[in-house]
Amino acid sequence: MRYPLDFENSFEKTFLFWLCRFVRNKITNLSNRQVSDKDRLAQIIQELVVGFESIESLKKTMKEVRNIGINSIHVYYLPLEKLFYFMKDFGASSMKEIDEEILSDFLASQTASLSDATKKNYRIALLGFFGYIDKQNEEENGTAYRYGIELKNWGGLAGKSGTKLPSFLNKDEVAKFIKAIADYPFKNKNIGARNRLIIKTILYTGIRVGEAITIHKKDFIKDGEAYIIQVRGKGNKPRVVMIKEKIIKEDLSDWLDICNCEENLLFCNQKGTKLTQSYISRLVEQILLSVGLRKEKNGAHMLRHTFATLLYQNSHDLILVQESLGHSDINTSRIYTHFDKSQLSRTTDIF
């Protein structure tokens, strides 16, 4: 069913109406694999169909959606909530007052101190919102209003010159880190086995921390002298990675002997619930610092960059890097070509 762009002679009510419908659309399309309360989520979806009386009540509900397990909804909701207040202060009386120029002003004023990644998320949210309205609005006479928002000329991003190369461990540092994993004094044997297992899994396969903490026991499949691990990446996209059995055999055996995780998860805390990404990152940082390894970013995601960098240096196969990391665009994988010393050394022979 389609609706008029403006109604009730109230910009605030109209914007809130479209925002409710848009976030409902995103919730139903985002991955629900980690949802902890499906009944409540279904109820919220129906509440969004009915609509909310205020942006404050919608904000509370969006926080609840995140807590239930749709974590990425804030990427779409937060920029649009800020746009609501921006247009309210602007004194808007109609949705038709929003155009490309106003959105560029909004981005310039609201994202000046934010990272390029967050700025891109704001742009994605705006494009998604107004693209949704373009498809869903229709007047009684059958005509529809088209925003056609593109934001191609918005200059808020630093561009490639403003991006940083990711931190990673070189070959000698990796060897030092692997030894540190084995020697680190964990609280007890069980915690040690679990922590060594998850850190090695991330380091030797390059999977994301978020992917590692949601692995199920059935996703670890023995195949000869290796384990095939089924993971779900961004957008709930499936892929498989491999790790040699000898690397994790002892830790895996020790952990499985006492593992009692909810929902058949492979990794969990002492209460049986899912580990957090922040816990794994703090753990990796503690181990790195214990042997004097300091990087600009010492968190667990740095292990993924390390895997990808060494994989490209040893294979010179960008497609392999792309498939191993689960990148949808090969250009995302090209960052790791910057660390290829064998190629860079050729430049020293030019003169």
Side-chain angles (χ1 to χ4, degrees), residues 8-28:
E8 294 191 28
N9 296 317
S10 169
F11 170 80
E12 293 181 24
K13 289 184 178 180
T14 301
F15 190 101
L16 188 58
F17 166 82
W18 284 113
L19 182 53
C20 286
R21 300 202 71 83
F22 175 68
V23 294
R24 171 187 173 274
N25 176 264
K26 297 310 298 184
I27 289 171
T28 56

mmCIF file with all atom_site columns, all heavy atoms in Angstrom, residues 8-28:
data_model
loop_
_atom_site.group_PDB
_atom_site.id
_atom_site.type_symbol
_atom_site.label_atom_id
_atom_site.label_alt_id
_atom_site.label_comp_id
_atom_site.label_asym_id
_atom_site.label_entity_id
_atom_site.label_seq_id
_atom_site.pdbx_PDB_ins_code
_atom_site.Cartn_x
_atom_site.Cartn_y
_atom_site.Cartn_z
_atom_site.occupancy
_atom_site.B_iso_or_equiv
_atom_site.pdbx_formal_charge
_atom_site.auth_seq_id
_atom_site.auth_comp_id
_atom_site.auth_asym_id
_atom_site.auth_atom_id
_atom_site.pdbx_PDB_model_num
ATOM 1   N N   . GLU A 1 8  ? -1.902 15.214 7.308  1.00 0.00 ? 8  GLU A N   1
ATOM 2   C CA  . GLU A 1 8  ? -2.223 15.740 8.637  1.00 0.00 ? 8  GLU A CA  1
ATOM 3   C C   . GLU A 1 8  ? -1.689 17.156 8.860  1.00 0.00 ? 8  GLU A C   1
ATOM 4   O O   . GLU A 1 8  ? -1.694 17.651 9.981  1.00 0.00 ? 8  GLU A O   1
ATOM 5   C CB  . GLU A 1 8  ? -1.700 14.814 9.754  1.00 0.00 ? 8  GLU A CB  1
ATOM 6   C CG  . GLU A 1 8  ? -2.383 13.458 9.776  1.00 0.00 ? 8  GLU A CG  1
ATOM 7   C CD  . GLU A 1 8  ? -2.054 12.677 11.034 1.00 0.00 ? 8  GLU A CD  1
ATOM 8   O OE1 . GLU A 1 8  ? -1.778 13.302 12.074 1.00 0.00 ? 8  GLU A OE1 1
ATOM 9   O OE2 . GLU A 1 8  ? -2.087 11.436 10.977 1.00 0.00 ? 8  GLU A OE2 1
ATOM 10  N N   . ASN A 1 9  ? -1.204 17.809 7.802  1.00 0.00 ? 9  ASN A N   1
ATOM 11  C CA  . ASN A 1 9  ? -0.684 19.177 7.905  1.00 0.00 ? 9  ASN A CA  1
ATOM 12  C C   . ASN A 1 9  ? 0.345  19.328 9.021  1.00 0.00 ? 9  ASN A C   1
ATOM 13  O O   . ASN A 1 9  ? 0.417  20.353 9.703  1.00 0.00 ? 9  ASN A O   1
ATOM 14  C CB  . ASN A 1 9  ? -1.843 20.169 8.142  1.00 0.00 ? 9  ASN A CB  1
ATOM 15  C CG  . ASN A 1 9  ? -2.802 20.205 6.978  1.00 0.00 ? 9  ASN A CG  1
ATOM 16  O OD1 . ASN A 1 9  ? -2.376 20.221 5.820  1.00 0.00 ? 9  ASN A OD1 1
ATOM 17  N ND2 . ASN A 1 9  ? -4.097 20.212 7.269  1.00 0.00 ? 9  ASN A ND2 1
ATOM 18  N N   . SER A 1 10 ? 1.135  18.286 9.224  1.00 0.00 ? 10 SER A N   1
ATOM 19  C CA  . SER A 1 10 ? 2.158  18.316 10.268 1.00 0.00 ? 10 SER A CA  1
ATOM 20  C C   . SER A 1 10 ? 3.421  17.642 9.752  1.00 0.00 ? 10 SER A C   1
ATOM 21  O O   . SER A 1 10 ? 3.406  16.438 9.454  1.00 0.00 ? 10 SER A O   1
ATOM 22  C CB  . SER A 1 10 ? 1.662  17.618 11.540 1.00 0.00 ? 10 SER A CB  1
ATOM 23  O OG  . SER A 1 10 ? 2.728  17.427 12.447 1.00 0.00 ? 10 SER A OG  1
ATOM 24  N N   . PHE A 1 11 ? 4.496  18.420 9.644  1.00 0.00 ? 11 PHE A N   1
ATOM 25  C CA  . PHE A 1 11 ? 5.759  17.842 9.177  1.00 0.00 ? 11 PHE A CA  1
ATOM 26  C C   . PHE A 1 11 ? 6.252  16.769 10.144 1.00 0.00 ? 11 PHE A C   1
ATOM 27  O O   . PHE A 1 11 ? 6.697  15.704 9.729  1.00 0.00 ? 11 PHE A O   1
ATOM 28  C CB  . PHE A 1 11 ? 6.823  18.932 9.038  1.00 0.00 ? 11 PHE A CB  1
ATOM 29  C CG  . PHE A 1 11 ? 8.208  18.367 8.802  1.00 0.00 ? 11 PHE A CG  1
ATOM 30  C CD1 . PHE A 1 11 ? 8.598  17.949 7.542  1.00 0.00 ? 11 PHE A CD1 1
ATOM 31  C CD2 . PHE A 1 11 ? 9.112  18.223 9.852  1.00 0.00 ? 11 PHE A CD2 1
ATOM 32  C CE1 . PHE A 1 11 ? 9.853  17.407 7.316  1.00 0.00 ? 11 PHE A CE1 1
ATOM 33  C CE2 . PHE A 1 11 ? 10.372 17.687 9.639  1.00 0.00 ? 11 PHE A CE2 1
ATOM 34  C CZ  . PHE A 1 11 ? 10.748 17.278 8.366  1.00 0.00 ? 11 PHE A CZ  1
ATOM 35  N N   . GLU A 1 12 ? 6.158  17.048 11.454 1.00 0.00 ? 12 GLU A N   1
ATOM 36  C CA  . GLU A 1 12 ? 6.687  16.121 12.452 1.00 0.00 ? 12 GLU A CA  1
ATOM 37  C C   . GLU A 1 12 ? 5.979  14.765 12.386 1.00 0.00 ? 12 GLU A C   1
ATOM 38  O O   . GLU A 1 12 ? 6.619  13.716 12.408 1.00 0.00 ? 12 GLU A O   1
ATOM 39  C CB  . GLU A 1 12 ? 6.574  16.727 13.852 1.00 0.00 ? 12 GLU A CB  1
ATOM 40  C CG  . GLU A 1 12 ? 7.471  17.944 14.051 1.00 0.00 ? 12 GLU A CG  1
ATOM 41  C CD  . GLU A 1 12 ? 7.359  18.515 15.459 1.00 0.00 ? 12 GLU A CD  1
ATOM 42  O OE1 . GLU A 1 12 ? 6.984  17.760 16.371 1.00 0.00 ? 12 GLU A OE1 1
ATOM 43  O OE2 . GLU A 1 12 ? 7.633  19.709 15.635 1.00 0.00 ? 12 GLU A OE2 1
ATOM 44  N N   . LYS A 1 13 ? 4.656  14.783 12.296 1.00 0.00 ? 13 LYS A N   1
ATOM 45  C CA  . LYS A 1 13 ? 3.898  13.528 12.233 1.00 0.00 ? 13 LYS A CA  1
ATOM 46  C C   . LYS A 1 13 ? 4.178  12.780 10.933 1.00 0.00 ? 13 LYS A C   1
ATOM 47  O O   . LYS A 1 13 ? 4.264  11.548 10.911 1.00 0.00 ? 13 LYS A O   1
ATOM 48  C CB  . LYS A 1 13 ? 2.411  13.808 12.379 1.00 0.00 ? 13 LYS A CB  1
ATOM 49  C CG  . LYS A 1 13 ? 2.006  14.232 13.783 1.00 0.00 ? 13 LYS A CG  1
ATOM 50  C CD  . LYS A 1 13 ? 0.494  14.408 13.880 1.00 0.00 ? 13 LYS A CD  1
ATOM 51  C CE  . LYS A 1 13 ? 0.081  14.795 15.298 1.00 0.00 ? 13 LYS A CE  1
ATOM 52  N NZ  . LYS A 1 13 ? -1.389 14.971 15.416 1.00 0.00 ? 13 LYS A NZ  1
ATOM 53  N N   . THR A 1 14 ? 4.313  13.553 9.837  1.00 0.00 ? 14 THR A N   1
ATOM 54  C CA  . THR A 1 14 ? 4.582  12.918 8.546  1.00 0.00 ? 14 THR A CA  1
ATOM 55  C C   . THR A 1 14 ? 5.957  12.271 8.532  1.00 0.00 ? 14 THR A C   1
ATOM 56  O O   . THR A 1 14 ? 6.116  11.125 8.089  1.00 0.00 ? 14 THR A O   1
ATOM 57  C CB  . THR A 1 14 ? 4.491  13.952 7.406  1.00 0.00 ? 14 THR A CB  1
ATOM 58  O OG1 . THR A 1 14 ? 3.191  14.533 7.399  1.00 0.00 ? 14 THR A OG1 1
ATOM 59  C CG2 . THR A 1 14 ? 4.741  13.300 6.061  1.00 0.00 ? 14 THR A CG2 1
ATOM 60  N N   . PHE A 1 15 ? 6.975  13.004 9.004  1.00 0.00 ? 15 PHE A N   1
ATOM 61  C CA  . PHE A 1 15 ? 8.333  12.461 9.041  1.00 0.00 ? 15 PHE A CA  1
ATOM 62  C C   . PHE A 1 15 ? 8.366  11.219 9.919  1.00 0.00 ? 15 PHE A C   1
ATOM 63  O O   . PHE A 1 15 ? 8.978  10.210 9.565  1.00 0.00 ? 15 PHE A O   1
ATOM 64  C CB  . PHE A 1 15 ? 9.312  13.508 9.572  1.00 0.00 ? 15 PHE A CB  1
ATOM 65  C CG  . PHE A 1 15 ? 10.764 13.126 9.414  1.00 0.00 ? 15 PHE A CG  1
ATOM 66  C CD1 . PHE A 1 15 ? 11.535 13.655 8.399  1.00 0.00 ? 15 PHE A CD1 1
ATOM 67  C CD2 . PHE A 1 15 ? 11.373 12.224 10.289 1.00 0.00 ? 15 PHE A CD2 1
ATOM 68  C CE1 . PHE A 1 15 ? 12.871 13.306 8.241  1.00 0.00 ? 15 PHE A CE1 1
ATOM 69  C CE2 . PHE A 1 15 ? 12.698 11.862 10.148 1.00 0.00 ? 15 PHE A CE2 1
ATOM 70  C CZ  . PHE A 1 15 ? 13.452 12.409 9.118  1.00 0.00 ? 15 PHE A CZ  1
ATOM 71  N N   . LEU A 1 16 ? 7.690  11.279 11.078 1.00 0.00 ? 16 LEU A N   1
ATOM 72  C CA  . LEU A 1 16 ? 7.672  10.144 12.001 1.00 0.00 ? 16 LEU A CA  1
ATOM 73  C C   . LEU A 1 16 ? 6.986  8.938  11.363 1.00 0.00 ? 16 LEU A C   1
ATOM 74  O O   . LEU A 1 16 ? 7.415  7.792  11.542 1.00 0.00 ? 16 LEU A O   1
ATOM 75  C CB  . LEU A 1 16 ? 6.962  10.545 13.289 1.00 0.00 ? 16 LEU A CB  1
ATOM 76  C CG  . LEU A 1 16 ? 7.008  9.557  14.458 1.00 0.00 ? 16 LEU A CG  1
ATOM 77  C CD1 . LEU A 1 16 ? 8.449  9.245  14.849 1.00 0.00 ? 16 LEU A CD1 1
ATOM 78  C CD2 . LEU A 1 16 ? 6.242  10.115 15.649 1.00 0.00 ? 16 LEU A CD2 1
ATOM 79  N N   . PHE A 1 17 ? 5.929  9.188  10.592 1.00 0.00 ? 17 PHE A N   1
ATOM 80  C CA  . PHE A 1 17 ? 5.234  8.114  9.893  1.00 0.00 ? 17 PHE A CA  1
ATOM 81  C C   . PHE A 1 17 ? 6.186  7.392  8.934  1.00 0.00 ? 17 PHE A C   1
ATOM 82  O O   . PHE A 1 17 ? 6.282  6.157  8.947  1.00 0.00 ? 17 PHE A O   1
ATOM 83  C CB  . PHE A 1 17 ? 4.039  8.679  9.124  1.00 0.00 ? 17 PHE A CB  1
ATOM 84  C CG  . PHE A 1 17 ? 3.450  7.723  8.117  1.00 0.00 ? 17 PHE A CG  1
ATOM 85  C CD1 . PHE A 1 17 ? 2.550  6.744  8.519  1.00 0.00 ? 17 PHE A CD1 1
ATOM 86  C CD2 . PHE A 1 17 ? 3.808  7.789  6.776  1.00 0.00 ? 17 PHE A CD2 1
ATOM 87  C CE1 . PHE A 1 17 ? 2.014  5.847  7.594  1.00 0.00 ? 17 PHE A CE1 1
ATOM 88  C CE2 . PHE A 1 17 ? 3.277  6.904  5.844  1.00 0.00 ? 17 PHE A CE2 1
ATOM 89  C CZ  . PHE A 1 17 ? 2.382  5.933  6.254  1.00 0.00 ? 17 PHE A CZ  1
ATOM 90  N N   . TRP A 1 18 ? 6.888  8.168  8.107  1.00 0.00 ? 18 TRP A N   1
ATOM 91  C CA  . TRP A 1 18 ? 7.788  7.567  7.122  1.00 0.00 ? 18 TRP A CA  1
ATOM 92  C C   . TRP A 1 18 ? 8.984  6.891  7.806  1.00 0.00 ? 18 TRP A C   1
ATOM 93  O O   . TRP A 1 18 ? 9.466  5.853  7.360  1.00 0.00 ? 18 TRP A O   1
ATOM 94  C CB  . TRP A 1 18 ? 8.274  8.617  6.129  1.00 0.00 ? 18 TRP A CB  1
ATOM 95  C CG  . TRP A 1 18 ? 7.244  8.988  5.119  1.00 0.00 ? 18 TRP A CG  1
ATOM 96  C CD1 . TRP A 1 18 ? 6.603  10.197 4.986  1.00 0.00 ? 18 TRP A CD1 1
ATOM 97  C CD2 . TRP A 1 18 ? 6.690  8.133  4.098  1.00 0.00 ? 18 TRP A CD2 1
ATOM 98  N NE1 . TRP A 1 18 ? 5.703  10.160 3.951  1.00 0.00 ? 18 TRP A NE1 1
ATOM 99  C CE2 . TRP A 1 18 ? 5.734  8.899  3.381  1.00 0.00 ? 18 TRP A CE2 1
ATOM 100 C CE3 . TRP A 1 18 ? 6.907  6.813  3.723  1.00 0.00 ? 18 TRP A CE3 1
ATOM 101 C CZ2 . TRP A 1 18 ? 5.013  8.381  2.308  1.00 0.00 ? 18 TRP A CZ2 1
ATOM 102 C CZ3 . TRP A 1 18 ? 6.184  6.293  2.647  1.00 0.00 ? 18 TRP A CZ3 1
ATOM 103 C CH2 . TRP A 1 18 ? 5.246  7.064  1.966  1.00 0.00 ? 18 TRP A CH2 1
ATOM 104 N N   . LEU A 1 19 ? 9.443  7.478  8.911  1.00 0.00 ? 19 LEU A N   1
ATOM 105 C CA  . LEU A 1 19 ? 10.570 6.887  9.637  1.00 0.00 ? 19 LEU A CA  1
ATOM 106 C C   . LEU A 1 19 ? 10.181 5.533  10.228 1.00 0.00 ? 19 LEU A C   1
ATOM 107 O O   . LEU A 1 19 ? 10.954 4.569  10.159 1.00 0.00 ? 19 LEU A O   1
ATOM 108 C CB  . LEU A 1 19 ? 11.032 7.837  10.747 1.00 0.00 ? 19 LEU A CB  1
ATOM 109 C CG  . LEU A 1 19 ? 12.242 7.399  11.579 1.00 0.00 ? 19 LEU A CG  1
ATOM 110 C CD1 . LEU A 1 19 ? 13.423 7.042  10.690 1.00 0.00 ? 19 LEU A CD1 1
ATOM 111 C CD2 . LEU A 1 19 ? 12.625 8.493  12.573 1.00 0.00 ? 19 LEU A CD2 1
ATOM 112 N N   . CYS A 1 20 ? 8.984  5.437  10.775 1.00 0.00 ? 20 CYS A N   1
ATOM 113 C CA  . CYS A 1 20 ? 8.502  4.162  11.331 1.00 0.00 ? 20 CYS A CA  1
ATOM 114 C C   . CYS A 1 20 ? 8.435  3.087  10.245 1.00 0.00 ? 20 CYS A C   1
ATOM 115 O O   . CYS A 1 20 ? 8.843  1.944  10.458 1.00 0.00 ? 20 CYS A O   1
ATOM 116 C CB  . CYS A 1 20 ? 7.134  4.333  11.972 1.00 0.00 ? 20 CYS A CB  1
ATOM 117 S SG  . CYS A 1 20 ? 7.131  5.204  13.544 1.00 0.00 ? 20 CYS A SG  1
ATOM 118 N N   . ARG A 1 21 ? 7.917  3.461  9.092  1.00 0.00 ? 21 ARG A N   1
ATOM 119 C CA  . ARG A 1 21 ? 7.773  2.494  8.014  1.00 0.00 ? 21 ARG A CA  1
ATOM 120 C C   . ARG A 1 21 ? 9.139  2.080  7.460  1.00 0.00 ? 21 ARG A C   1
ATOM 121 O O   . ARG A 1 21 ? 9.358  0.919  7.094  1.00 0.00 ? 21 ARG A O   1
ATOM 122 C CB  . ARG A 1 21 ? 6.887  3.048  6.900  1.00 0.00 ? 21 ARG A CB  1
ATOM 123 C CG  . ARG A 1 21 ? 5.478  3.384  7.383  1.00 0.00 ? 21 ARG A CG  1
ATOM 124 C CD  . ARG A 1 21 ? 4.470  3.414  6.262  1.00 0.00 ? 21 ARG A CD  1
ATOM 125 N NE  . ARG A 1 21 ? 4.202  2.070  5.755  1.00 0.00 ? 21 ARG A NE  1
ATOM 126 C CZ  . ARG A 1 21 ? 3.352  1.219  6.290  1.00 0.00 ? 21 ARG A CZ  1
ATOM 127 N NH1 . ARG A 1 21 ? 2.696  1.544  7.396  1.00 0.00 ? 21 ARG A NH1 1
ATOM 128 N NH2 . ARG A 1 21 ? 3.141  0.040  5.749  1.00 0.00 ? 21 ARG A NH2 1
ATOM 129 N N   . PHE A 1 22 ? 10.062 3.032  7.407  1.00 0.00 ? 22 PHE A N   1
ATOM 130 C CA  . PHE A 1 22 ? 11.399 2.726  6.885  1.00 0.00 ? 22 PHE A CA  1
ATOM 131 C C   . PHE A 1 22 ? 12.153 1.780  7.822  1.00 0.00 ? 22 PHE A C   1
ATOM 132 O O   . PHE A 1 22 ? 12.741 0.792  7.371  1.00 0.00 ? 22 PHE A O   1
ATOM 133 C CB  . PHE A 1 22 ? 12.194 4.014  6.689  1.00 0.00 ? 22 PHE A CB  1
ATOM 134 C CG  . PHE A 1 22 ? 13.625 3.783  6.273  1.00 0.00 ? 22 PHE A CG  1
ATOM 135 C CD1 . PHE A 1 22 ? 13.935 3.260  5.024  1.00 0.00 ? 22 PHE A CD1 1
ATOM 136 C CD2 . PHE A 1 22 ? 14.668 4.087  7.139  1.00 0.00 ? 22 PHE A CD2 1
ATOM 137 C CE1 . PHE A 1 22 ? 15.251 3.029  4.638  1.00 0.00 ? 22 PHE A CE1 1
ATOM 138 C CE2 . PHE A 1 22 ? 15.988 3.868  6.766  1.00 0.00 ? 22 PHE A CE2 1
ATOM 139 C CZ  . PHE A 1 22 ? 16.282 3.345  5.516  1.00 0.00 ? 22 PHE A CZ  1
ATOM 140 N N   . VAL A 1 23 ? 12.165 2.072  9.131  1.00 0.00 ? 23 VAL A N   1
ATOM 141 C CA  . VAL A 1 23 ? 12.908 1.210  10.054 1.00 0.00 ? 23 VAL A CA  1
ATOM 142 C C   . VAL A 1 23 ? 12.252 -0.172 10.138 1.00 0.00 ? 23 VAL A C   1
ATOM 143 O O   . VAL A 1 23 ? 12.947 -1.177 10.324 1.00 0.00 ? 23 VAL A O   1
ATOM 144 C CB  . VAL A 1 23 ? 13.059 1.841  11.461 1.00 0.00 ? 23 VAL A CB  1
ATOM 145 C CG1 . VAL A 1 23 ? 13.934 3.074  11.391 1.00 0.00 ? 23 VAL A CG1 1
ATOM 146 C CG2 . VAL A 1 23 ? 11.721 2.153  12.088 1.00 0.00 ? 23 VAL A CG2 1
ATOM 147 N N   . ARG A 1 24 ? 10.921 -0.228 9.988  1.00 0.00 ? 24 ARG A N   1
ATOM 148 C CA  . ARG A 1 24 ? 10.262 -1.532 9.929  1.00 0.00 ? 24 ARG A CA  1
ATOM 149 C C   . ARG A 1 24 ? 10.777 -2.321 8.734  1.00 0.00 ? 24 ARG A C   1
ATOM 150 O O   . ARG A 1 24 ? 11.069 -3.526 8.833  1.00 0.00 ? 24 ARG A O   1
ATOM 151 C CB  . ARG A 1 24 ? 8.750  -1.351 9.823  1.00 0.00 ? 24 ARG A CB  1
ATOM 152 C CG  . ARG A 1 24 ? 7.987  -2.650 9.535  1.00 0.00 ? 24 ARG A CG  1
ATOM 153 C CD  . ARG A 1 24 ? 6.514  -2.374 9.273  1.00 0.00 ? 24 ARG A CD  1
ATOM 154 N NE  . ARG A 1 24 ? 5.823  -3.584 8.835  1.00 0.00 ? 24 ARG A NE  1
ATOM 155 C CZ  . ARG A 1 24 ? 5.768  -3.994 7.573  1.00 0.00 ? 24 ARG A CZ  1
ATOM 156 N NH1 . ARG A 1 24 ? 6.368  -3.281 6.616  1.00 0.00 ? 24 ARG A NH1 1
ATOM 157 N NH2 . ARG A 1 24 ? 5.128  -5.098 7.251  1.00 0.00 ? 24 ARG A NH2 1
ATOM 158 N N   . ASN A 1 25 ? 10.902 -1.655 7.595  1.00 0.00 ? 25 ASN A N   1
ATOM 159 C CA  . ASN A 1 25 ? 11.413 -2.305 6.394  1.00 0.00 ? 25 ASN A CA  1
ATOM 160 C C   . ASN A 1 25 ? 12.841 -2.807 6.594  1.00 0.00 ? 25 ASN A C   1
ATOM 161 O O   . ASN A 1 25 ? 13.188 -3.924 6.190  1.00 0.00 ? 25 ASN A O   1
ATOM 162 C CB  . ASN A 1 25 ? 11.354 -1.326 5.225  1.00 0.00 ? 25 ASN A CB  1
ATOM 163 C CG  . ASN A 1 25 ? 11.953 -1.891 3.944  1.00 0.00 ? 25 ASN A CG  1
ATOM 164 O OD1 . ASN A 1 25 ? 13.119 -1.640 3.630  1.00 0.00 ? 25 ASN A OD1 1
ATOM 165 N ND2 . ASN A 1 25 ? 11.176 -2.651 3.195  1.00 0.00 ? 25 ASN A ND2 1
ATOM 166 N N   . LYS A 1 26 ? 13.673 -2.004 7.276  1.00 0.00 ? 26 LYS A N   1
ATOM 167 C CA  . LYS A 1 26 ? 15.064 -2.410 7.513  1.00 0.00 ? 26 LYS A CA  1
ATOM 168 C C   . LYS A 1 26 ? 15.126 -3.578 8.491  1.00 0.00 ? 26 LYS A C   1
ATOM 169 O O   . LYS A 1 26 ? 15.903 -4.514 8.292  1.00 0.00 ? 26 LYS A O   1
ATOM 170 C CB  . LYS A 1 26 ? 15.885 -1.232 8.055  1.00 0.00 ? 26 LYS A CB  1
ATOM 171 C CG  . LYS A 1 26 ? 16.013 -0.042 7.133  1.00 0.00 ? 26 LYS A CG  1
ATOM 172 C CD  . LYS A 1 26 ? 16.452 -0.407 5.730  1.00 0.00 ? 26 LYS A CD  1
ATOM 173 C CE  . LYS A 1 26 ? 17.831 -1.065 5.670  1.00 0.00 ? 26 LYS A CE  1
ATOM 174 N NZ  . LYS A 1 26 ? 18.261 -1.322 4.283  1.00 0.00 ? 26 LYS A NZ  1
ATOM 175 N N   . ILE A 1 27 ? 14.315 -3.539 9.534  1.00 0.00 ? 27 ILE A N   1
ATOM 176 C CA  . ILE A 1 27 ? 14.328 -4.620 10.525 1.00 0.00 ? 27 ILE A CA  1
ATOM 177 C C   . ILE A 1 27 ? 13.988 -5.957 9.878  1.00 0.00 ? 27 ILE A C   1
ATOM 178 O O   . ILE A 1 27 ? 14.594 -6.983 10.183 1.00 0.00 ? 27 ILE A O   1
ATOM 179 C CB  . ILE A 1 27 ? 13.338 -4.307 11.674 1.00 0.00 ? 27 ILE A CB  1
ATOM 180 C CG1 . ILE A 1 27 ? 13.881 -3.169 12.541 1.00 0.00 ? 27 ILE A CG1 1
ATOM 181 C CG2 . ILE A 1 27 ? 13.101 -5.553 12.541 1.00 0.00 ? 27 ILE A CG2 1
ATOM 182 C CD1 . ILE A 1 27 ? 12.897 -2.658 13.555 1.00 0.00 ? 27 ILE A CD1 1
ATOM 183 N N   . THR A 1 28 ? 13.002 -5.938 8.981  1.00 0.00 ? 28 THR A N   1
ATOM 184 C CA  . THR A 1 28 ? 12.583 -7.192 8.346  1.00 0.00 ? 28 THR A CA  1
ATOM 185 C C   . THR A 1 28 ? 13.577 -7.687 7.315  1.00 0.00 ? 28 THR A C   1
ATOM 186 O O   . THR A 1 28 ? 13.512 -8.843 6.894  1.00 0.00 ? 28 THR A O   1
ATOM 187 C CB  . THR A 1 28 ? 11.203 -7.019 7.669  1.00 0.00 ? 28 THR A CB  1
ATOM 188 O OG1 . THR A 1 28 ? 11.263 -5.933 6.738  1.00 0.00 ? 28 THR A OG1 1
ATOM 189 C CG2 . THR A 1 28 ? 10.133 -6.741 8.703  1.00 0.00 ? 28 THR A CG2 1
#
